Amino acid sequence: MKPTTAVRPPGGVPATGSATGYLLLFAGMALVGTYVALSRPLVAVMPVFLLAWLRFAIAAVAMLPWLRPGVADAPLDAGLRRTLFAQSFFGNFLFSIFMLAGVARTSATAAGLVLSLMPAAVALLSWLLLRERIGARTGLAILLSGIGLALLAGAGASPGGGAPDLAGHLLLVAAVGCESVYVVLGKRLTARLSARRISALINLVGLALMTPFGLWQAASFDFARLGAGDWLLLVFYALSASMFATWLWLGGLARVPAARSGVFTVAMPLAASAVGIVWLGERPGLVHLVAFGCAAAAIALVTRPSRPADASAATGRESGRVD
């Protein structure tokens, strides 16, 4: 089903569809957290560039019908092409490299919690690029997400066993920066293109960028090492990362201001940690559980309905404030 772009008042806040937008944003980032965690078994059996290249290639075949422009899609002018390339370069190409390399060096739970830095980064970029101001509730939600990250940094051991890996965490911080650029750029694209077409186009760009590196590693890789379970997990990873998570996220982004939507990225660490605990057998400590609580509180803050007076005032402002 093709998501539609909600009609926005001058303040940038959608007139309708906020509840649907919240649900789409949460589902999209929860799916990201799930495939981030499940990518850990994949990086154990194949190199990073090859894994990322196969992801883009599999998804490109599945998304061929999504390349066809819809009635409401704008023509691909030079500005749109530049934005699509930048979104794919940061949100697909670089994010995949940093995320997969970081997950390989950390646990799924720790990786998810490092990625909870994203709300602060997204809100900052939304303020810098989109001029969206940050209200008290969103600011407090961002602060809670930051507290969760600080708790993880002070933890004495990794949930997967062993000492925390600083290099792995730094790689994940780099992934956070790249994904934040992707989120904010997506805000510009959803006003002119459907979420499905954006997903298909940026996946093609990612495939083109990753092909030289993927072919280089494929030349020396023994594909006989992969079992049926590895291939099934790879297909799930490819379709989730390139198709469904992007479609859900962009569909929600069309209905919710970028600064507020950024807080929903805390669904990513929650899902990643849940998969790490339930599926991969990781054992988080009390510190990690408190961090999960901070993430849940952030979501509760940002989704609490605004007062009617605030909503009316928001429609009369030229620049949207996130309360």
Side-chain angles (χ1 to χ4, degrees):
M1 180 176 177
K2 181 176 178 178
T4 57
T5 302
V7 176
R8 292 179 178 276
V13 180
T16 60
S18 291
T20 301
Y22 291 148
L23 180 61
L24 291 171
L25 292 172
F26 185 89
M29 279 296 138
L31 187 56
V32 171
T34 300
Y35 78 68
V36 164
L38 291 179
S39 68
R40 196 163 190 266
L42 288 173
V43 295
V45 296
M46 69 176 69
V48 167
F49 292 132
L50 177 59
L51 173 56
W53 179 58
L54 289 174
R55 162 211 161 165
F56 292 131
I58 292 170
V61 175
M63 287 196 291
L64 282 175
W66 288 15
L67 288 171
R68 185 181 302 111
V71 176
D73 287 333
L76 293 180
D77 56 26
L80 266 181
R81 289 195 294 269
R82 284 193 297 268
T83 304
L84 285 165
F85 177 84
Q87 190 184 31
S88 183
F89 180 73
F90 287 102
N92 275 358
F93 180 69
L94 290 181
F95 175 78
S96 295
I97 293 171
F98 290 139
M99 186 272 292
L100 291 173
V103 167
R105 301 177 66 103
T106 63
S107 67
T109 304
L113 288 174
V114 169
L115 294 175
S116 68
L117 182 66
M118 279 190 63
V122 169
L124 178 61
L125 283 174
S126 297
W127 172 68
L128 289 173
L129 300 180
L130 303 181
R131 300 304 182 208
E132 290 186 356
R133 293 188 294 164
I134 301 171
R137 289 206 318 246
T138 302
L140 180 56
I142 292 169
L143 177 62
L144 286 170
S145 299
I147 291 173
L149 179 65
L151 289 171
L152 174 65
S158 170
D165 189 297
L166 178 60
H169 288 166
L170 290 176
L171 286 166
L172 290 167
V173 169
V176 165
C178 293
E179 187 73 356
S180 300
V181 174
Y182 161 85
V183 169
V184 175
L185 288 177
K187 191 69 172 177
R188 293 179 171 180
L189 290 174
T190 52
R192 303 182 64 187
L193 297 173
S194 68
R196 292 197 302 180
R197 192 159 191 237
I198 295 170
S199 302
L201 290 171
I202 64 175
N203 182 79
L204 276 184
V205 175
L207 176 61
L209 291 171
M210 195 66 72
T211 292
F213 305 98
L215 289 175
W216 167 58
Q217 290 189 334
S220 58
F221 182 73
D222 181 13
F223 285 91
R225 294 173 48 192
L226 302 179
D230 297 323
W231 284 108
L232 287 174
L233 189 57
L234 175 60
V235 171
F236 170 80
Y237 169 60
L239 299 184
S240 298
S242 291
M243 287 187 68
F244 301 121
T246 306
W247 178 75
L248 288 167
W249 177 258
L250 292 177
L253 199 61
R255 297 166 168 84
V256 178
R260 178 172 290 185
S261 65
V263 183
F264 279 85
T265 57
V266 297
M268 178 166 40
L270 289 174
S273 302
V275 172
I277 295 167
V278 175
W279 187 272
L280 303 178
E282 296 176 357
R283 297 181 179 179
L286 178 61
V287 170
H288 303 98
L289 296 179
V290 174
F292 299 158
C294 290
I299 292 177
L301 279 170
V302 78
T303 56
R304 195 182 75 183
S306 300
R307 295 189 301 272
D310 293 341
S312 299
T315 62
R317 285 193 297 261
E318 192 167 5
S319 60
R321 178 185 176 95
V322 180
D323 293 319

